[in-house]
Each structure stands twice: as structure tokens, then as C-alpha cells.
Amino acid sequence: MATTDTWSKQLGGGTLTFTSEALGDPVAAYTHEAKFQRGDSAYSMSRQSTDRLTRAEVEERFADFISEIRHGQ
């Protein structure tokens, strides 16, 4: 895995972008961010983990954030 992995999805009329970044050398931790942007509005949330996560696991960590976006339309 590269030190940073970024991917996006369309959601609720905007774009939800996930970023995972490895911290340290050797890697000591990972930081994960979800950023939702629609028009001029942007919201973000971050999480940390000590284990390397797959993209699906990262998205699962932000399930509450994604749910708020879906229900806030």
C-alpha cells in the first residue's frame, strides 16, 4: 500500500472522498478521513487506527457519517 490511498464516491448530490494515510516509518498508525462536498458546503470527519484497513473497512468506520449525509438531504 502506498503511504496515502484516496478514493471517491458520489453520494447525496455531492462527492464523498476517503483518504487513508500511513504514519511513521516503520508505520505506527493510520489516519483516515472522509470529506463530503456538495456545492459550497464541505464536511469532514477523521478516524485513526493502529491496523491497516481495506477500503471497505475504512468506509465502515464512517458509517455514521455516511448515514447523516443520506438522511440530511
Side-chain angles (χ1 to χ4, degrees):
M1 176 177 151
T3 57
T4 302
D5 184 23
T6 302
W7 67 101
S8 297
K9 294 184 169 195
Q10 296 303 306
L11 178 70
T15 303
L16 181 59
T17 303
F18 297 95
T19 304
S20 287
E21 183 176 7
L23 304 174
D25 184 19
V27 175
Y30 297 88
T31 184
H32 313 285
E33 181 184 49
K35 181 178 181 182
F36 178 69
Q37 189 158 3
R38 177 174 48 206
D40 292 335
S41 299
Y43 310 92
S44 65
M45 178 177 279
S46 62
R47 304 262 197 248
Q48 292 185 336
S49 67
T50 53
D51 298 319
R52 180 176 163 182
L53 303 176
T54 65
R55 285 182 171 190
E57 289 170 327
V58 170
E59 292 178 23
E60 180 63 30
R61 295 276 173 113
F62 290 103
D64 55 343
F65 185 65
I66 293 168
S67 179
E68 287 177 23
I69 293 167
R70 285 191 172 131
H71 291 98
Q73 297 179 46

